[in-house]
Amino acid sequence: MSDVSSYAEKIRSAASATELDAIELEIFSRKHGALTLAMKDLVALPPPEKVKKGQELNRWKQTLTEALVERRRELSSVSSGALASEDKLDVTLELPPRERGHLHLIPEFIRQVEEVFGRMGFEVADGPEVESEENNFNLLNMPENHPARDAQDTFWLKDHEQETEPAKRFVLRTHTSNVQIRYMKTHKPPLRIICPGRVYRKDSDATHSPMFHQFEGLMVGKDISLANLKAVLITAMRELMGRDVEFRFRTGFFPFVEPGLEMDMMWQGAESESREGKWLEMCGCGMVHPNVLRNCGIDPDEWQGFAFGFGVERPLMIKHQIPDLRSFYHGDLRFLRQF
Ligand code: DAH
């Protein structure tokens, strides 16, 4: 083995951890390491010399091992030191501006609705957009040939056209009222739900789209009354549309409520700017019809409650003076960026 001091020197001047690993192998490798080979050579020596040389080799081993440990420590502190200065984070650095998106008006409004009613204890419930005729009409007290069906120009699914049972014929739901039925069939009162979602009708012009959004509300309990309905609706609408908005209720007909009401909101701007005059129709509502409760297995002598159904696009159009409902769906950024 060559001089121990030359190895020690090599270790001290190693410039990187990889270089150090190579030197370590050169000395200590189990097959070809210089020290390993020198140890092997001991066997051939006569005993007194063997002892002397053996002790010398052990001292080398210790010296070189210590040198390796020391250099490894030095190198690692150098490298993390370098990293600290080269890679340090300048938190005051101004980043290039990044474009940030925001929610579309419709899902944003739906979230607000869920929040406002959520604070009044309403849970969010969901239902399918492809619905049976039974849940969309029959169980809501609208049997076949009921004239109220005509008002909801329905998309029927072709697949089950020849079926005669309403449970087996399907429509694109014409309103979110189907969720009332689904929820009451599977839950026991008292209950309080809000159901936002898409609905479909064969209709298309500036104020009608074949797909639009509604949210349905339902509250059933022991002695829920029209007074509760008014309080809940007015509280929620003030939150959603503005503190100073005024409302009026008038009678209206919907087969699934008795009595049935419509809620109007007072136009906020100059009367000449309103297309529809001073009072704008906002929603249908009323006390859930006993037949509907019965259809869902709820005893109307024990339970009663109210229901309501709102459009989503309509209040948004009024709030932001949007003249054409179709602008919601075009995805035109010039429109969307205004809100
Ligand atoms: N489903 C009705 C529609 O789309 C709206 C409605 C009216 C819902 C009265 C209700 C209600 O829950 O009580 O025209």
Side-chain angles (χ1 to χ4, degrees):
M1 185 181 181
S2 59
D3 190 357
V4 65
S5 63
S6 74
Y7 277 115
E9 183 50 39
K10 241 180 158 174
I11 291 172
R12 269 192 294 276
S13 54
S16 68
T18 357
E19 207 175 297
L20 207 57
D21 290 342
I23 300 170
E24 183 172 18
L25 273 182
E26 204 182 313
I27 306 169
F28 292 105
S29 152
R30 284 166 59 106
K31 274 195 178 154
H32 311 291
L35 195 65
T36 323
L37 295 178
M39 291 283 201
K40 275 192 187 145
D41 289 345
L42 286 180
V43 189
L45 294 177
E49 242 182 282
K50 198 194 262 179
V51 172
K52 195 168 150 258
K53 188 72 180 165
Q55 285 168 344
E56 187 187 341
L57 288 180
N58 273 332
R59 274 198 305 281
W60 285 13
K61 186 177 174 185
Q62 197 181 345
T63 313
L64 295 174
T65 310
E66 281 167 9
L68 276 168
V69 170
E70 170 66 11
R71 186 63 188 149
R72 203 158 261 137
R73 200 179 50 74
E74 283 170 11
L75 283 174
S76 86
S77 71
V78 168
S79 75
S80 58
L83 195 70
S85 66
E86 279 164 22
D87 231 21
K88 80 170 176 255
L89 180 71
D90 179 358
V91 289
T92 65
L93 195 68
E94 222 172 285
L95 295 172
R98 266 244 213 113
E99 257 200 280
R100 269 183 106 194
H102 61 80
L103 276 181
H104 184 280
L105 276 178
I106 291 178
E108 183 188 55
F109 188 74
I110 289 178
R111 284 196 192 182
Q112 286 166 358
V113 166
E114 292 176 354
E115 223 241 62
V116 167
F117 282 94
R119 275 189 258 137
M120 292 191 273
F122 285 72
E123 268 177 51
V124 178
D126 207 4
E129 289 166 33
V130 174
E131 182 57 285
S132 67
E133 177 187 5
E134 186 174 46
N135 287 340
N136 192 82
F137 291 125
N138 299 62
L139 298 181
L140 281 162
N141 208 25
M142 277 197 263
E144 208 174 345
N145 303 324
H146 193 291
R149 284 195 185 194
D150 301 344
Q152 306 199 350
D153 308 284
T154 310
F155 288 109
W156 289 86
L157 268 73
K158 271 192 169 163
D159 306 15
H160 307 278
E161 251 172 346
Q162 66 298 346
E163 291 285 352
T164 47
E165 282 174 55
K168 294 187 179 156
R169 305 204 301 177
F170 291 88
V171 299
L172 291 184
R173 69 172 174 191
T174 55
H175 50 187
T176 42
S177 307
N178 67 323
V179 188
Q180 285 188 36
I181 298 297
R182 288 181 166 263
Y183 199 85
M184 285 195 282
K185 280 203 251 179
T186 50
H187 294 78
K188 286 204 179 334
L191 33 98
R192 247 183 281 187
I193 51 163
I194 192 89
C195 339
R198 289 193 196 101
V199 301
Y200 302 84
R201 288 185 203 179
K202 278 192 263 173
D203 222 347
S204 185
D205 59 35
T207 53
H208 295 91
S209 150
M211 184 282 298
F212 59 104
H213 298 76
Q214 282 190 341
F215 63 92
E216 190 82 8
L218 174 73
M219 178 168 186
V220 179
K222 284 280 175 196
D223 43 24
I224 304 298
S225 70
L226 271 185
N228 299 127
L229 166 68
K230 285 178 76 176
V232 165
L233 282 185
I234 290 176
T235 309
M237 276 305 157
R238 288 221 169 107
E239 287 280 317
L240 294 164
M241 302 292 288
R243 288 269 143 216
D244 311 320
V245 181
E246 279 183 64
F247 302 96
R248 75 171 184 192
F249 289 83
R250 62 198 159 80
T251 51
F253 175 74
F254 305 96
F256 29 91
V257 280
E258 178 58 38
L261 305 172
E262 285 180 45
M263 180 195 196
D264 295 340
M265 187 184 103
M266 171 98 84
W267 174 252
Q268 296 295 88
E271 211 175 321
S272 57
E273 283 170 22
S274 167
R275 296 166 173 240
E276 302 164 48
K278 194 166 142 196
W279 290 104
L280 308 170
E281 190 186 315
M282 294 298 291
C283 89
C285 53
M287 297 301 291
V288 181
H289 198 291
N291 286 351
V292 175
L293 293 172
R294 226 173 270 124
N295 289 342
C296 300
I298 295 176
D299 180 357
D301 293 328
E302 196 183 341
W303 302 99
Q304 59 183 34
F306 62 76
F308 56 86
F310 272 89
V312 168
E313 283 81 351
R314 190 178 160 80
L316 281 174
M317 287 170 77
I318 295 171
K319 194 170 173 179
H320 300 287
Q321 282 106 51
I322 297 167
D324 192 328
L325 168 129
R326 291 166 291 199
S327 341
F328 284 120
Y329 317 116
H330 289 156
D332 186 335
L333 290 177
R334 290 168 304 178
F335 169 76
L336 297 172
R337 282 200 175 117
Q338 296 175 63
F339 306 103

